[in-house]
Each structure stands twice: as structure tokens, then as C-alpha cells.
Amino acid sequence: MAVDDADALYLGLISGTSADGIDVALVHFQDGKPRLRAGYVHPWPVSLRTRMLALAQAESSIDLDTFGRLDVEIGECFADAALTLLKRNNIPATTIRAIGSHGQTVRHRPGGKYPFTLQIGDPAVIAERCGIDVVADFRRADIAAGGQGAPLVPAVHAALLSTPGQTRIVLNLGGIANITVLGADGGVLGFDTGPANALMDAWCLRQRGTAFDRDGTYAASGQVDDKLLKALLADDYFALPPPKSSGREYFHLAWLTGHPQLRTVAAPDVQATLLELTARSVAQAIRGQVAAASQVLVCGGGVRNGVLMRRLQELLHPVEVTSTASTGIDPDLLEATAFAWLARQRLLGLPGNLPAVTGARGPRVLGAIYSASGSKSS
Ligand SMILES: Nc1ncnc2c1ncn2[C@@H]1O[C@H](COP(=O)(O)OP(=O)(O)OP(=O)(O)O)[C@@H](O)[C@H]1O
Ligand SMILES: [Mg+2]
């Protein structure tokens, strides 16, 4: 497939582990670097989100008919998200070279004899509805090559935020937290450190009935329980060397409530302890990787949790902890931007993974192309 990239625009679509909405990024490229032109977060219809999250529970069993229908329904919702951004910005679909659609992860099992990862949201439906070629299924080739299939964003962090002679860390605080270490020598490392918001969201929903702890105020109303924190931090995942990746099928409410130490702890103190767990596990992972970083640049929804950001700054002092916004990069749309970048890599026949990050046997071209009806591409 030939790629005329001169004025090409791409769309990146993702719903992350928190499933708080579908992020859409409209991106153009300048010297190979993705530049955000416009962004939009499309809300999930409540009933669809509930059914989708039920499917993503580790213990869920679902019949194939329900699964197939859900795949299409989620695809329709992704198409709505893309079309809404285009309409709001008066951008004709014909000017979009391709959509990179991550889909919604409903299972991520990178270990064992038959490792797999499963993202749904039928890309053929998105291509048909939008009239735009769609690249999707980005993680499977990396897993087939012995990798974790995640994280994939470090390659984009490197393209956008590497500065020669400086060691920088990019920290994504989504449902799960992942770090990218951009070495002063150009080397890149990265892995999932553990939970960012997933457990805090789950506990807050259970205790307060709200999807997340706005600004960390609920956590700030409690005290960290040292015994519970110690028990949570003793989980093997935190000590595991990279490459490693995780998801909500591991760090979920049952993981938390399975710790007997929880029973005697007051609800606000549990929230405070979960925030501390995120901060400590992230700080520990960063220290384990780099003796001296100049800056930690934070993206993802957790950047809006002032209590968490302050705690990270305390733990990582004297390293500066700041939002990627300080470098002109929207912290909410970096992941969606990454999937526009990955779509372009696929069309150019270039690798999308970093083997040093995912542990794959080598660089791999990632994703499958779903051509729009009537498209000239083959
Ligand atoms: N004002 C806020 N105060 C506290 N937390 C917030 C605020 N806004 C967003 N968040 C947190 O950010 C989360 C969403 O972040 P984000 O969209 O980066 O996660 P994600 O979609 O799961 O991405 P990923 O795939 O990286 O895990 C919410 O679930 C919530 O916990
Ligand atoms: Mg999100």
C-alpha cells in the first residue's frame, strides 16, 4: 500500500483500562513526529460500558453470541467517536489517511503457554461507517513474537520527548501505570509498574458510588494504613523484573478485598492506602531503573489527582514531577496520538514495537488493515 504522507491526517482511537471514555486524536505528522490537531473524548453509553466492564472481569463467562454482538456494538461506538470529532472540526473523512483503533482490552494474558491479548470493537464496522481505512489489532504480533504486547506507547514517547544528554521518564497514570525511561544515550525502556487509578476507582465506586475520587479528596480524608500497604506491596508483580505488563484482570477489587488486612481498615483509610500504593510502586519502579533522571513527565487522567501528584513529587524529590503539558503535550490525548502514529507505522511497513520494552524477539510491523469499502488500497 503506497502512502502519500504530505498532508495526511490520521485519527487515533482508544478506550483505556479505566474505560472512562473513547479518546480520539486528530494527528498530522511533521518530520515523522505526531502533532495533535484536535482531540475529543466520546462518552460510553452507560449500559454498554457496564456490559463491557462485566466482560473484562477475570471471572466473567459470556456466550459467544453476546460476545459477537458486543464486539460490533463497541465498534459502532468507536465509529461514532471518530465521526463526532470529524463533524465538530469540519474535517471531511476523505482527508483522513487512516484510523488507528486500539479497541477496548477485555483480556490481557501475556504469560503462559498460549499467551494472548484481546481488544474488541470491530474494525470492519469502523471502516465501513467512517469510509476510512482502519488499522487495528496492534498487540497480537508482538505477543506472537514472544513479547508482552504492551506497553506500546514508549516508542511514541521516545519520538516526542527524547532529549539527547538528558534522562527523562514519562509516566502514564491511566487505569494501570506505565513508565518509559528515555535514556540520555537514546536508549528506551518501559513497563507497567502496577495500578494507577484502577483500584482507587473501584474502591471509590463501591464506597461512594462515584466513578473516581475527584482531585483525591476522598483519599486525603483518610490515613495510610501501614499494615495494609505492606501487604499490598508484597504482591509478586511489583518485584518482577521487566518486561512486564498488567491489566484490570489482575489489579481489580477482588485482588484488594482478598487481603485479610483490609477487614479492620476504615473505608477512607483504604482509599488513602491505595493512593499511597500507586505512588510508592511507581516511585520504586522509577528508582529501580534510573539512578538520576532530570524529570518525570506525567500523562493520563491521574495527572488531575493533585494529592497523588504531590505524593509522587515528595517520593521522587529532587527529580521534578510535572505534567507533559509543560512540554506542550496534552496529557489526556497522548495515548490516542500513539495509535495514530502506530497506524502510520503500519502503512509505511515500519515496526511499531520496541523489543527492549515488550521483550519481543525483534521489531515487528504491528496491526492489521481493514480497508474501507470503495478504497483504492488493497
Ligand atoms: N479530576 C480528577 N481527579 C482525580 N482523578 C482523575 C481526575 N480525572 C481523571 N481522573 C482519573 O483518571 C482516570 C482516567 O485516566 P485515563 O483516561 O488516562 O485512563 P485509561 O483510559 O484507563 O488509560 P490507560 O489505557 O492508560 O490505562 C479516571 O478513571 C480517574 O481515575
Ligand atoms: Mg481514558
Side-chain angles (χ1 to χ4, degrees):
M1 175 182 289
V3 175
D4 174 10
D5 221 21
D7 297 307
L9 290 170
Y10 288 77
L11 284 180
L13 299 178
I14 182 168
S15 171
T17 45
S18 306
D20 56 316
I22 301 171
D23 301 339
V24 191
L26 174 70
V27 172
H28 75 280
F29 287 85
Q30 220 172 25
D31 304 325
K33 290 189 182 192
R35 303 286 180 205
L36 185 69
R37 280 262 190 104
Y40 165 65
V41 181
H42 191 72
W44 282 111
V46 175
S47 120
L48 177 55
R49 182 172 186 269
T50 306
R51 285 177 286 133
M52 191 172 75
L53 289 181
L55 175 61
Q57 291 302 315
E59 68 280 8
S60 93
S61 63
I62 188 169
D63 69 276
L64 277 178
D65 287 283
T66 309
F67 178 84
R69 280 194 295 268
L70 204 51
D71 183 31
V72 170
E73 201 178 339
I74 290 171
E76 295 277 3
C77 204
F78 270 73
D80 290 341
L83 290 169
T84 305
L85 176 131
L86 294 178
K87 195 169 170 207
R88 286 186 174 192
N89 291 278
N90 274 322
I91 308 267
T94 48
T95 60
I96 306 296
R97 182 65 197 84
I99 294 173
S101 180
H102 172 268
Q104 176 70 50
T105 297
V106 290
R107 201 66 94 244
H108 184 67
R109 300 269 192 221
K113 188 171 177 202
Y114 297 108
F116 73 97
T117 187
L118 189 55
Q119 287 76 41
I120 65 171
D122 189 348
V125 167
I126 305 172
E128 183 66 26
R129 286 270 316 280
C130 298
I132 301 168
D133 291 352
V134 174
V135 186
D137 243 337
F138 288 99
R139 301 190 188 273
R140 295 171 86 178
D142 186 85
I143 292 219
Q148 294 281 310
L152 297 179
V153 286
V156 180
H157 294 163
L160 283 171
L161 291 162
S162 278
T163 39
Q166 257 188 45
T167 298
R168 270 179 158 178
I169 312 266
V170 186
L171 166 63
N172 175 37
L173 295 173
I176 298 295
N178 60 273
I179 58 166
T180 303
V181 182
L182 302 168
D185 59 355
V188 184
L189 291 171
F191 56 93
D192 290 349
T193 63
N197 294 299
L199 296 171
M200 288 195 279
D201 286 357
W203 187 254
C204 192
L205 183 66
R206 187 169 121 165
Q207 299 300 324
R208 309 276 291 236
T210 56
F212 63 90
D213 179 16
R214 189 170 293 279
D215 306 330
T217 48
Y218 182 36
S221 73
Q223 299 288 324
V224 174
D225 184 278
D226 288 330
K227 273 202 195 115
L228 177 60
L229 179 66
K230 200 170 164 211
L232 300 178
L233 278 170
D235 189 279
D236 289 346
Y237 184 83
F238 300 114
L240 214 62
K244 59 179 177 176
S245 59
S246 194
R248 64 186 304 146
E249 55 284 285
Y250 190 79
F251 290 111
H252 51 47
L253 199 58
W255 176 86
L256 172 66
T257 53
H259 287 83
Q261 296 83 352
L262 182 88
R263 283 179 213 138
T264 53
V265 183
D269 296 350
V270 172
Q271 191 75 20
T273 307
L274 290 175
L275 185 143
E276 184 70 8
L277 172 71
T278 295
R280 288 267 192 111
S281 55
V282 164
Q284 206 169 284
I286 289 176
R287 284 219 204 79
Q289 292 304 314
V290 270
S294 60
Q295 235 181 358
V296 176
L297 295 166
V298 191
C299 59
V303 85
R304 289 207 214 91
N305 185 331
V307 179
L308 177 60
M309 289 293 281
R310 274 193 296 281
R311 190 62 190 125
L312 280 165
Q313 179 62 85
E314 275 168 19
L315 290 169
L316 289 163
H317 181 80
V319 179
E320 182 198 8
V321 178
T322 176
S323 163
T324 57
S326 64
T327 63
I329 290 175
D330 186 327
D332 292 320
L333 289 162
L334 190 42
E335 278 210 302
T337 301
F339 284 89
W341 182 88
L342 282 162
R344 181 170 176 270
Q345 291 294 104
R346 175 65 186 85
L347 298 195
L348 295 173
L350 297 171
N353 64 339
L354 292 175
V357 171
T358 64
R361 282 185 282 278
R364 293 291 183 271
V365 177
L366 304 180
I369 300 170
Y370 294 73
S371 294
S373 161
S375 145
K376 283 190 241 76
S377 35
S378 57

mmCIF file with all atom_site columns, all heavy atoms in Angstrom, residues 107-111 114-118 143:
data_model
loop_
_atom_site.group_PDB
_atom_site.id
_atom_site.type_symbol
_atom_site.label_atom_id
_atom_site.label_alt_id
_atom_site.label_comp_id
_atom_site.label_asym_id
_atom_site.label_entity_id
_atom_site.label_seq_id
_atom_site.pdbx_PDB_ins_code
_atom_site.Cartn_x
_atom_site.Cartn_y
_atom_site.Cartn_z
_atom_site.occupancy
_atom_site.B_iso_or_equiv
_atom_site.pdbx_formal_charge
_atom_site.auth_seq_id
_atom_site.auth_comp_id
_atom_site.auth_asym_id
_atom_site.auth_atom_id
_atom_site.pdbx_PDB_model_num
ATOM 1  N N   . ARG A 1 107 ? -9.286  -8.664  27.789 1.00 0.00 ? 107 ARG A N   1
ATOM 2  C CA  . ARG A 1 107 ? -8.432  -9.634  28.463 1.00 0.00 ? 107 ARG A CA  1
ATOM 3  C C   . ARG A 1 107 ? -6.988  -9.431  28.005 1.00 0.00 ? 107 ARG A C   1
ATOM 4  O O   . ARG A 1 107 ? -6.740  -9.231  26.829 1.00 0.00 ? 107 ARG A O   1
ATOM 5  C CB  . ARG A 1 107 ? -8.880  -11.061 28.126 1.00 0.00 ? 107 ARG A CB  1
ATOM 6  C CG  . ARG A 1 107 ? -8.430  -12.105 29.105 1.00 0.00 ? 107 ARG A CG  1
ATOM 7  C CD  . ARG A 1 107 ? -9.053  -11.984 30.520 1.00 0.00 ? 107 ARG A CD  1
ATOM 8  N NE  . ARG A 1 107 ? -10.221 -12.797 30.702 1.00 0.00 ? 107 ARG A NE  1
ATOM 9  C CZ  . ARG A 1 107 ? -11.445 -12.313 30.940 1.00 0.00 ? 107 ARG A CZ  1
ATOM 10 N NH1 . ARG A 1 107 ? -11.645 -11.008 31.002 1.00 0.00 ? 107 ARG A NH1 1
ATOM 11 N NH2 . ARG A 1 107 ? -12.461 -13.114 31.121 1.00 0.00 ? 107 ARG A NH2 1
ATOM 12 N N   . HIS A 1 108 ? -6.055  -9.503  28.962 1.00 0.00 ? 108 HIS A N   1
ATOM 13 C CA  . HIS A 1 108 ? -4.630  -9.376  28.619 1.00 0.00 ? 108 HIS A CA  1
ATOM 14 C C   . HIS A 1 108 ? -3.884  -10.441 29.403 1.00 0.00 ? 108 HIS A C   1
ATOM 15 O O   . HIS A 1 108 ? -3.735  -10.331 30.616 1.00 0.00 ? 108 HIS A O   1
ATOM 16 C CB  . HIS A 1 108 ? -4.133  -7.963  28.966 1.00 0.00 ? 108 HIS A CB  1
ATOM 17 C CG  . HIS A 1 108 ? -2.708  -7.714  28.564 1.00 0.00 ? 108 HIS A CG  1
ATOM 18 N ND1 . HIS A 1 108 ? -2.317  -7.662  27.239 1.00 0.00 ? 108 HIS A ND1 1
ATOM 19 C CD2 . HIS A 1 108 ? -1.582  -7.509  29.294 1.00 0.00 ? 108 HIS A CD2 1
ATOM 20 C CE1 . HIS A 1 108 ? -0.996  -7.438  27.167 1.00 0.00 ? 108 HIS A CE1 1
ATOM 21 N NE2 . HIS A 1 108 ? -0.534  -7.340  28.411 1.00 0.00 ? 108 HIS A NE2 1
ATOM 22 N N   . ARG A 1 109 ? -3.462  -11.492 28.715 1.00 0.00 ? 109 ARG A N   1
ATOM 23 C CA  . ARG A 1 109 ? -2.776  -12.617 29.368 1.00 0.00 ? 109 ARG A CA  1
ATOM 24 C C   . ARG A 1 109 ? -1.481  -12.892 28.620 1.00 0.00 ? 109 ARG A C   1
ATOM 25 O O   . ARG A 1 109 ? -1.407  -13.810 27.802 1.00 0.00 ? 109 ARG A O   1
ATOM 26 C CB  . ARG A 1 109 ? -3.642  -13.878 29.301 1.00 0.00 ? 109 ARG A CB  1
ATOM 27 C CG  . ARG A 1 109 ? -4.994  -13.751 29.966 1.00 0.00 ? 109 ARG A CG  1
ATOM 28 C CD  . ARG A 1 109 ? -4.930  -14.162 31.410 1.00 0.00 ? 109 ARG A CD  1
ATOM 29 N NE  . ARG A 1 109 ? -6.255  -14.318 31.979 1.00 0.00 ? 109 ARG A NE  1
ATOM 30 C CZ  . ARG A 1 109 ? -6.574  -13.908 33.187 1.00 0.00 ? 109 ARG A CZ  1
ATOM 31 N NH1 . ARG A 1 109 ? -5.672  -13.325 33.955 1.00 0.00 ? 109 ARG A NH1 1
ATOM 32 N NH2 . ARG A 1 109 ? -7.790  -14.105 33.643 1.00 0.00 ? 109 ARG A NH2 1
ATOM 33 N N   . PRO A 1 110 ? -0.453  -12.073 28.900 1.00 0.00 ? 110 PRO A N   1
ATOM 34 C CA  . PRO A 1 110 ? 0.781   -12.214 28.120 1.00 0.00 ? 110 PRO A CA  1
ATOM 35 C C   . PRO A 1 110 ? 1.671   -13.378 28.558 1.00 0.00 ? 110 PRO A C   1
ATOM 36 O O   . PRO A 1 110 ? 2.680   -13.647 27.916 1.00 0.00 ? 110 PRO A O   1
ATOM 37 C CB  . PRO A 1 110 ? 1.484   -10.875 28.347 1.00 0.00 ? 110 PRO A CB  1
ATOM 38 C CG  . PRO A 1 110 ? 0.976   -10.410 29.674 1.00 0.00 ? 110 PRO A CG  1
ATOM 39 C CD  . PRO A 1 110 ? -0.415  -10.945 29.834 1.00 0.00 ? 110 PRO A CD  1
ATOM 40 N N   . GLY A 1 111 ? 1.280   -14.097 29.642 1.00 0.00 ? 111 GLY A N   1
ATOM 41 C CA  . GLY A 1 111 ? 2.106   -15.204 30.130 1.00 0.00 ? 111 GLY A CA  1
ATOM 42 C C   . GLY A 1 111 ? 1.520   -16.554 29.745 1.00 0.00 ? 111 GLY A C   1
ATOM 43 O O   . GLY A 1 111 ? 0.495   -16.643 29.075 1.00 0.00 ? 111 GLY A O   1
ATOM 44 N N   . TYR A 1 114 ? 0.055   -20.407 26.079 1.00 0.00 ? 114 TYR A N   1
ATOM 45 C CA  . TYR A 1 114 ? -0.657  -19.790 24.950 1.00 0.00 ? 114 TYR A CA  1
ATOM 46 C C   . TYR A 1 114 ? -1.030  -18.353 25.310 1.00 0.00 ? 114 TYR A C   1
ATOM 47 O O   . TYR A 1 114 ? -2.184  -18.049 25.612 1.00 0.00 ? 114 TYR A O   1
ATOM 48 C CB  . TYR A 1 114 ? -1.913  -20.596 24.603 1.00 0.00 ? 114 TYR A CB  1
ATOM 49 C CG  . TYR A 1 114 ? -1.584  -22.000 24.154 1.00 0.00 ? 114 TYR A CG  1
ATOM 50 C CD1 . TYR A 1 114 ? -1.851  -23.103 24.970 1.00 0.00 ? 114 TYR A CD1 1
ATOM 51 C CD2 . TYR A 1 114 ? -0.981  -22.228 22.917 1.00 0.00 ? 114 TYR A CD2 1
ATOM 52 C CE1 . TYR A 1 114 ? -1.524  -24.383 24.574 1.00 0.00 ? 114 TYR A CE1 1
ATOM 53 C CE2 . TYR A 1 114 ? -0.647  -23.507 22.506 1.00 0.00 ? 114 TYR A CE2 1
ATOM 54 C CZ  . TYR A 1 114 ? -0.925  -24.582 23.335 1.00 0.00 ? 114 TYR A CZ  1
ATOM 55 O OH  . TYR A 1 114 ? -0.592  -25.847 22.934 1.00 0.00 ? 114 TYR A OH  1
ATOM 56 N N   . PRO A 1 115 ? -0.043  -17.465 25.288 1.00 0.00 ? 115 PRO A N   1
ATOM 57 C CA  . PRO A 1 115 ? -0.323  -16.081 25.693 1.00 0.00 ? 115 PRO A CA  1
ATOM 58 C C   . PRO A 1 115 ? -1.242  -15.401 24.685 1.00 0.00 ? 115 PRO A C   1
ATOM 59 O O   . PRO A 1 115 ? -1.186  -15.698 23.487 1.00 0.00 ? 115 PRO A O   1
ATOM 60 C CB  . PRO A 1 115 ? 1.058   -15.437 25.685 1.00 0.00 ? 115 PRO A CB  1
ATOM 61 C CG  . PRO A 1 115 ? 1.882   -16.266 24.776 1.00 0.00 ? 115 PRO A CG  1
ATOM 62 C CD  . PRO A 1 115 ? 1.341   -17.661 24.849 1.00 0.00 ? 115 PRO A CD  1
ATOM 63 N N   . PHE A 1 116 ? -2.089  -14.526 25.167 1.00 0.00 ? 116 PHE A N   1
ATOM 64 C CA  . PHE A 1 116 ? -2.953  -13.778 24.244 1.00 0.00 ? 116 PHE A CA  1
ATOM 65 C C   . PHE A 1 116 ? -3.357  -12.445 24.848 1.00 0.00 ? 116 PHE A C   1
ATOM 66 O O   . PHE A 1 116 ? -3.204  -12.203 26.052 1.00 0.00 ? 116 PHE A O   1
ATOM 67 C CB  . PHE A 1 116 ? -4.207  -14.593 23.872 1.00 0.00 ? 116 PHE A CB  1
ATOM 68 C CG  . PHE A 1 116 ? -5.217  -14.681 24.992 1.00 0.00 ? 116 PHE A CG  1
ATOM 69 C CD1 . PHE A 1 116 ? -6.308  -13.826 25.042 1.00 0.00 ? 116 PHE A CD1 1
ATOM 70 C CD2 . PHE A 1 116 ? -5.066  -15.610 26.014 1.00 0.00 ? 116 PHE A CD2 1
ATOM 71 C CE1 . PHE A 1 116 ? -7.245  -13.896 26.069 1.00 0.00 ? 116 PHE A CE1 1
ATOM 72 C CE2 . PHE A 1 116 ? -5.993  -15.691 27.048 1.00 0.00 ? 116 PHE A CE2 1
ATOM 73 C CZ  . PHE A 1 116 ? -7.077  -14.831 27.073 1.00 0.00 ? 116 PHE A CZ  1
ATOM 74 N N   . THR A 1 117 ? -3.851  -11.594 23.976 1.00 0.00 ? 117 THR A N   1
ATOM 75 C CA  . THR A 1 117 ? -4.426  -10.328 24.413 1.00 0.00 ? 117 THR A CA  1
ATOM 76 C C   . THR A 1 117 ? -5.620  -10.077 23.508 1.00 0.00 ? 117 THR A C   1
ATOM 77 O O   . THR A 1 117 ? -5.589  -10.434 22.331 1.00 0.00 ? 117 THR A O   1
ATOM 78 C CB  . THR A 1 117 ? -3.391  -9.186  24.334 1.00 0.00 ? 117 THR A CB  1
ATOM 79 O OG1 . THR A 1 117 ? -3.939  -8.000  24.914 1.00 0.00 ? 117 THR A OG1 1
ATOM 80 C CG2 . THR A 1 117 ? -2.947  -8.876  22.921 1.00 0.00 ? 117 THR A CG2 1
ATOM 81 N N   . LEU A 1 118 ? -6.676  -9.520  24.075 1.00 0.00 ? 118 LEU A N   1
ATOM 82 C CA  . LEU A 1 118 ? -7.911  -9.408  23.298 1.00 0.00 ? 118 LEU A CA  1
ATOM 83 C C   . LEU A 1 118 ? -8.489  -7.999  23.404 1.00 0.00 ? 118 LEU A C   1
ATOM 84 O O   . LEU A 1 118 ? -8.903  -7.574  24.469 1.00 0.00 ? 118 LEU A O   1
ATOM 85 C CB  . LEU A 1 118 ? -8.912  -10.439 23.822 1.00 0.00 ? 118 LEU A CB  1
ATOM 86 C CG  . LEU A 1 118 ? -10.193 -10.652 23.025 1.00 0.00 ? 118 LEU A CG  1
ATOM 87 C CD1 . LEU A 1 118 ? -9.916  -10.987 21.570 1.00 0.00 ? 118 LEU A CD1 1
ATOM 88 C CD2 . LEU A 1 118 ? -10.997 -11.783 23.666 1.00 0.00 ? 118 LEU A CD2 1
ATOM 89 N N   . ILE A 1 143 ? 2.922   -10.167 20.790 1.00 0.00 ? 143 ILE A N   1
ATOM 90 C CA  . ILE A 1 143 ? 2.758   -11.338 21.668 1.00 0.00 ? 143 ILE A CA  1
ATOM 91 C C   . ILE A 1 143 ? 3.188   -12.602 20.924 1.00 0.00 ? 143 ILE A C   1
ATOM 92 O O   . ILE A 1 143 ? 3.882   -13.464 21.487 1.00 0.00 ? 143 ILE A O   1
ATOM 93 C CB  . ILE A 1 143 ? 1.295   -11.447 22.157 1.00 0.00 ? 143 ILE A CB  1
ATOM 94 C CG1 . ILE A 1 143 ? 0.994   -10.267 23.099 1.00 0.00 ? 143 ILE A CG1 1
ATOM 95 C CG2 . ILE A 1 143 ? 1.044   -12.805 22.830 1.00 0.00 ? 143 ILE A CG2 1
ATOM 96 C CD1 . ILE A 1 143 ? 0.155   -10.551 24.300 1.00 0.00 ? 143 ILE A CD1 1
#
